[in-house]
Amino acid sequence: MQVWPGQPYPLGANYDGAGTNFAVFSEAAERIELCLLHEDGSETAVELRESDGFVRHAYLPGVLPGQRYGYRAHGPYTPESGQRCNSAKLLLDPYAKAISGAISWHEAVYGYPFGAPERRNDLDSAPHTMASVVINPYFDWGDDRPPRTDYHRTVLYEAHVKGLTMLHPELPEELRGTYAALAHPAVLAHLTGLGVTALELMPVHQFVTDHRLWDAGLVNYWGYNTIGFFAPHNAYASWGERGQQVLEFKHAVRALHQAGIEVILDVVYNHTAEGNHLGPTLSFRGLDNASYYRLADDPRYYTDTTGTGNSLLMRSPHVLQLIMDSLRYWVTEMHVDGFRFDLAATLARQFHEVDRLSSFFDLVQQDPVVSQVKLIAEPWDVGEGGYQVGNFPPLWTEWNGRYRDTVRDLWRGEPRTLAEFGSRLTGSSDLYQNDGRRPLASVNFITCHDGFTLRDLVSYDSKHNEANGEGNRDGESHNRSWNCGVEGPTDDPEVLRLRRRQMRNFIATLMLSQGVPMLSHGDEFGRTQLGNNNAYCQDGPLTWVRWPHGRESADDAGAAEGDGGADGAADDPGAPDQRLCDFVRAMVWLRRDHPVFRRRRFFHGSPVEGAHDELSDISWFTPEGDQMKQRDWQAAQARSLTVFLNGNAISEPGERGERITDDSFLLLFNAHDEARDFVVPADHGSGWKVIVDTARERAYRGDEGETVPAGGRLPLTDRSMVVLRRPA
């Protein structure tokens, strides 16, 4: 076999049409062997003799796409000094663009916690682990262009590749649960019809199931256990795993773009699947443990701010290069439109404390590629000082956990919530305004993959995670949920009506709040996990979205509660609710059609410049129609208020330039457990049209809603919300 010197950059295996250049970093290893794997189980070892800046490299003519390979690192196994090289382990390339196979939990993949390992000459590790794959980088993108949807027009939809598509009745069975399923017309039609502009995919980087779950007969379903930061997860591929997973993912992105939908990846750059000091040696640990991981004072162990066993060393130039190279690769080669960073506070831990001026943020800020896509932080981790909502740099948006908590508290009837609710509803200026950010820095959500689904939020007071095998000790115990009087499934029609009304309250509040709304997949159908709020290890019908088999419209099901029909039916856990989906769709499009609900700047509480009246851009009223005073905000039992949103003179950019809107709204919130009358403010318009009433099964259409005069009284059902529009 010919072996040429090759180049130290780019890292990884890079095919150029005639052969492949291999390059891998390790400062710890004394020598590294590239192992080409053959179909009969044998391997050909090639020592990488060339080294530049601790990058070993070689070019092999004739090595083509589909070739499986790995590395063996010969060097010190000295945990007391932080190094764990072991040539018995076949290691994945940290820059592998595709990975084949899966781990069989044989002892060969494990490291040795302390002491020197036995040096073996056999190849036991190879059949029991995964292999890196050389890929062909060519793909015909055609006229693909990123949608580049502005944040103020963005509606995020968080979804799991398998969970979203596995039970879809219109998908061929061989496509269900795969990247190809995301590109299927039936899935695209649902997303576009719902009004979704961005699909936020739970982890699609190659991940593994850890040994504990495997022994328990469970899997890592969510995927927050990355081992390959460049490789699409091979189990989601229907075309094959010798590089075909890359083509299939690109095909899905292209189809989503053609439908006007951006692709956001949930990425896990805070830790890897190698776990703690007892975990397996799969890649980074065996190549250069001390360069990749944050070690404890005793270097035999790892500093863990993620709850997973290890944390990447964010002050290491090689870790920073790995992350930035990975981000650029997914943007430039895979055409994704942004990233949601899991446990992003860990990325800011250059030393110990969370530091918004850390090197990682500096690199992102100046990077000409990464800085131009959507960057969303999960602004917390499990380490000391890890809750950092509102503290990320101006380029970033954040999952607003305080929005989630406050809105949940309001609708479950917690006292003294109005003041904070007012801030969350209007974009959380207390969190984002002082550092120059706008309401769009707040990604608002009620539910996500982590925690109760929307239906479970209104059906359970307590978590029910027994199926996870941890004695119900895992998962969040304080969910700010309320079961509406009965724990879990019930056939009580009053409880069922209240639960559906509460779900509509949450959806309407989310879609009419300033910021960027995010839906969790299946919540539009009332998906349940039967009270499991930590379903990370449940890969089955419990976590898969159930789709309706026939299109039943809300018009056919009864427009108002109490009309009979399906409204009083017994609870069928998991049955998709088409009426709720229709309501969600109506609220998404109400938001998209009226820019006053998606302002690009904070409210000022002063008259709108250029408007034809002297009204403030926002005003707050008691249910009696009086201006809210300080005592009204702080009253312990106050759970009701009216908000006036002035849409006059809001400029909305369009294809033909700026247009001036004239849409003003009143939002009436009654989170009280009793019905009450609301007085429509007398001096903010002569007449108002009811367009949403969450006490009904659906939003109104056109002009069919009731008209309420200025100063008129409007009764609101207990725990309900009404939206009034002032005709232009």
Side-chain angles (χ1 to χ4, degrees), residues 415-416 418-420 628-638:
R416 293 188 173 88
L418 282 188
E420 183 159 7
M628 291 277 286
K629 297 180 174 57
Q630 188 64 31
R631 65 175 181 271
D632 299 317
W633 288 107
Q634 301 301 328
Q637 300 307 313

Side-chain angles (χ1 to χ4, degrees), residues 356-482:
R356 63 181 288 176
L357 300 179
S358 70
S359 298
F360 172 70
F361 294 122
D362 289 343
L363 290 172
V364 170
Q365 182 74 33
Q366 58 81 40
D367 190 276
V369 173
V370 180
S371 65
Q372 300 305 303
V373 300
K374 287 183 169 66
L375 303 172
I376 305 170
E378 182 187 34
W380 50 77
D381 64 14
V382 300
E384 181 181 355
Y387 192 78
Q388 293 290 321
V389 174
N391 291 332
F392 275 69
L395 190 65
W396 291 69
T397 61
E398 301 175 12
W399 271 25
N400 191 343
R402 290 181 62 179
Y403 177 93
R404 172 201 59 203
D405 296 345
T406 302
V407 174
R408 288 185 179 191
D409 278 347
L410 175 83
W411 286 115
R412 72 188 181 112
E414 285 295 290
R416 293 188 173 88
T417 58
L418 282 188
E420 183 159 7
F421 174 70
S423 179
R424 304 299 152 244
L425 181 73
T426 55
S428 297
S429 60
D430 57 325
L431 300 177
Y432 305 115
Q433 189 170 28
N434 289 340
D435 61 7
R437 287 189 283 178
R438 297 183 176 184
L440 305 168
S442 177
V443 173
N444 300 329
F445 65 105
I446 306 296
T447 59
C448 63
H449 69 275
D450 189 2
F452 282 146
T453 66
L454 180 63
R455 182 171 178 174
D456 289 355
L457 185 67
V458 301
S459 303
Y460 295 91
D461 280 353
S462 305
K463 63 185 180 181
H464 297 269
N465 298 353
E466 291 81 5
N468 295 354
E470 300 180 45
N472 206 35
R473 294 183 299 273
D474 62 305
E476 177 60 56
S477 297
H478 182 46
N479 294 282
R480 292 180 163 88
S481 61
W482 179 48

Side-chain angles (χ1 to χ4, degrees), residues 250-283:
K250 290 178 177 180
H251 168 72
V253 171
R254 185 177 62 188
L256 286 158
H257 282 180
Q258 289 172 347
I261 298 173
E262 293 184 304
V263 179
I264 311 292
L265 300 189
D266 194 338
V267 289
V268 190
Y269 292 113
N270 49 76
H271 74 280
T272 79
E274 292 185 304
N276 63 17
H277 63 288
L278 299 176
T281 297
L282 303 174
S283 179

Side-chain angles (χ1 to χ4, degrees), residues 312-581:
L312 285 172
L313 184 61
M314 294 307 298
R315 64 176 179 270
S316 164
H318 305 289
V319 169
L320 292 171
Q321 180 185 5
L322 173 80
I323 295 174
M324 295 306 298
D325 285 349
S326 171
L327 292 171
R328 279 191 296 269
Y329 174 78
W330 285 95
V331 175
T332 59
E333 297 298 320
M334 308 294 266
H335 285 209
V336 304
D337 305 284
F339 305 94
R340 179 266 189 190
F341 293 80
D342 177 66
L343 301 181
T346 292
L347 303 178
R349 293 183 185 273
Q350 186 164 333
F351 294 98
H352 175 72
E353 297 81 7
V354 177
D355 181 4
R356 63 181 288 176
L357 300 179
S358 70
S359 298
F360 172 70
F361 294 122
D362 289 343
L363 290 172
V364 170
Q365 182 74 33
Q366 58 81 40
D367 190 276
V369 173
V370 180
S371 65
Q372 300 305 303
V373 300
K374 287 183 169 66
L375 303 172
I376 305 170
E378 182 187 34
W380 50 77
D381 64 14
V382 300
E384 181 181 355
Y387 192 78
Q388 293 290 321
V389 174
N391 291 332
F392 275 69
L395 190 65
W396 291 69
T397 61
E398 301 175 12
W399 271 25
N400 191 343
R402 290 181 62 179
Y403 177 93
R404 172 201 59 203
D405 296 345
T406 302
V407 174
R408 288 185 179 191
D409 278 347
L410 175 83
W411 286 115
R412 72 188 181 112
E414 285 295 290
R416 293 188 173 88
T417 58
L418 282 188
E420 183 159 7
F421 174 70
S423 179
R424 304 299 152 244
L425 181 73
T426 55
S428 297
S429 60
D430 57 325
L431 300 177
Y432 305 115
Q433 189 170 28
N434 289 340
D435 61 7
R437 287 189 283 178
R438 297 183 176 184
L440 305 168
S442 177
V443 173
N444 300 329
F445 65 105
I446 306 296
T447 59
C448 63
H449 69 275
D450 189 2
F452 282 146
T453 66
L454 180 63
R455 182 171 178 174
D456 289 355
L457 185 67
V458 301
S459 303
Y460 295 91
D461 280 353
S462 305
K463 63 185 180 181
H464 297 269
N465 298 353
E466 291 81 5
N468 295 354
E470 300 180 45
N472 206 35
R473 294 183 299 273
D474 62 305
E476 177 60 56
S477 297
H478 182 46
N479 294 282
R480 292 180 163 88
S481 61
W482 179 48
N483 64 20
C484 297
V486 178
E487 187 75 356
T490 181
D491 58 3
D492 187 324
E494 292 299 322
V495 173
L496 294 176
R497 276 191 281 270
L498 177 55
R499 287 178 177 177
R500 284 194 289 271
R501 189 159 72 248
Q502 286 285 73
M503 287 192 285
R504 293 192 293 271
N505 289 333
F506 283 123
I507 291 296
T509 303
L510 175 65
M511 289 303 155
L512 303 183
S513 296
Q514 304 299 321
V516 181
M518 185 184 77
L519 291 166
S520 181
H521 70 314
D523 274 352
E524 70 270 30
F525 295 124
R527 182 175 75 89
T528 181
Q529 293 177 170
L530 300 180
N532 191 321
N533 74 350
N534 189 36
Y536 75 101
C537 56
Q538 301 295 327
D539 183 5
L542 182 72
T543 52
W544 300 343
V545 174
R546 281 178 60 181
W547 295 77
H549 284 265
R551 179 71 169 84
E552 179 194 12
S553 111
D555 293 331
D556 301 326
E561 295 193 340
D563 286 349
D567 190 62
D571 200 9
D572 174 12
D577 186 345
Q578 183 62 57
R579 293 171 302 173
L580 178 61
C581 185

